[in-house]
Amino acid sequence: MKNSFLVFVLSFLFLYASAQKKPLDHTVYDQWQSIGERKISNDGLWVMYVIQVQEGDNELVLQKTDGSSRQSFPRGFESVFTNDNRFSIFRIKAPFAETRQAKIKKKKPEEMPKDSLVI
């Protein structure tokens, strides 16, 4: 008798807990992020990585390995450290929305938004 009541209560709690989760659909997929490019400086003091999103602008993060300093750069990609580890060099993509609109309007390559270089 007690066991059947316990099973009933546990099954009710399980059903209640599972009903609270958000279902997976395309809006959830667009929020997922992943780590893309990863670089470590030659001296091991700096780490540079890209946080990639499903749709939109990525973010490049430059961080000290001890966690004391962290900088993020919207739309950064193709990163490298210089041989002496004093500088990082990377490119900045044109904003996703502007590039998408230019493709929709079928602009010529010379009229498309351009990337930038950061040192």
Side-chain angles (χ1 to χ4, degrees):
M1 179 72 173
K2 289 183 181 180
N3 287 340
S4 62
F5 180 73
L6 181 63
V7 169
F8 175 74
V9 171
L10 289 176
S11 64
F12 178 75
L13 289 174
F14 175 74
L15 290 174
Y16 179 75
S18 65
Q20 299 299 317
K21 294 181 181 179
K22 185 176 179 179
L24 291 178
D25 58 6
H26 293 291
T27 60
V28 175
Y29 299 145
D30 292 340
Q31 296 173 2
W32 288 357
Q33 298 177 343
S34 62
I35 300 289
E37 303 176 35
R38 300 172 292 276
K39 304 279 176 128
I40 299 175
S41 63
N42 293 333
D43 59 5
L45 295 178
W46 293 92
V47 176
M48 198 166 13
Y49 57 93
V50 175
I51 300 174
Q52 296 177 331
V53 294
Q54 297 295 322
E55 184 175 324
D57 295 323
N58 296 337
E59 177 182 16
L60 183 125
V61 177
L62 177 63
Q63 183 173 350
K64 242 182 165 177
T65 53
D66 64 2
S68 63
S69 177
R70 182 179 194 266
Q71 287 185 305
S72 62
F73 302 92
R75 305 185 322 268
F77 73 111
E78 293 184 359
S79 59
V80 294
F81 286 104
T82 57
N83 286 336
D84 62 358
N85 303 311
R86 293 182 55 209
F87 299 99
S88 62
I89 302 169
F90 56 91
R91 292 173 54 192
I92 300 281
K93 282 186 182 179
F96 176 78
E98 289 179 18
T99 305
R100 185 171 183 270
Q101 286 300 320
K103 286 180 182 177
I104 290 172
K105 294 179 181 178
K106 297 182 180 179
K107 291 192 174 187
K108 296 177 183 176
E110 58 271 3
E111 295 174 344
M112 295 288 282
K114 305 290 186 223
D115 295 344
S116 304
L117 181 68
V118 177
I119 300 174

